Amino acid sequence: MRELKAGAIDIVVGTHALITSDVTFSSLGVVVVDEQHRFGVDQRAALREKGSVNTSMTRDPDLLVMTATPFRAPQR
């Protein structure tokens, strides 16, 4: 956790545990969310807030949201 807070770790893969107050990011630039339906508005807001905790930056991290919901191709 110290390395994450210090910015020594570039990539973190995790679960909802990354939203807890125990986890601090030095600079959170990109968030990738898989299974959108299990990750609500409040959780995304919590990650956005973590994006500039240790810096004077007020920039939100970029957010990529993925879903497993299939879609049908148009019939030809």
Side-chain angles (χ1 to χ4, degrees):
M1 294 299 226
R2 280 180 267 154
E3 292 88 1
L4 184 61
K5 186 175 183 178
I9 297 176
D10 293 328
I11 297 174
V12 177
V13 177
T15 64
H16 286 79
L18 294 176
I19 302 172
T20 64
S21 60
D22 298 341
V23 179
T24 305
F25 298 95
S26 171
S27 176
L28 182 61
V30 177
V31 174
V32 178
V33 176
D34 190 16
E35 302 279 345
Q36 160 79 17
H37 64 282
R38 292 186 176 179
F39 205 82
V41 173
D42 293 338
Q43 289 86 3
R44 289 193 308 272
L47 279 171
R48 274 196 307 276
E49 290 173 12
K50 287 179 170 276
S52 59
V53 170
N54 290 332
T55 68
S56 61
M57 294 173 42
T58 57
R59 176 173 109 41
D60 289 343
D62 294 329
L63 178 64
L64 172 63
V65 179
M66 300 184 300
T67 180
T69 305
F71 64 94
R72 297 180 104 165
Q75 298 288 326
R76 293 184 182 201

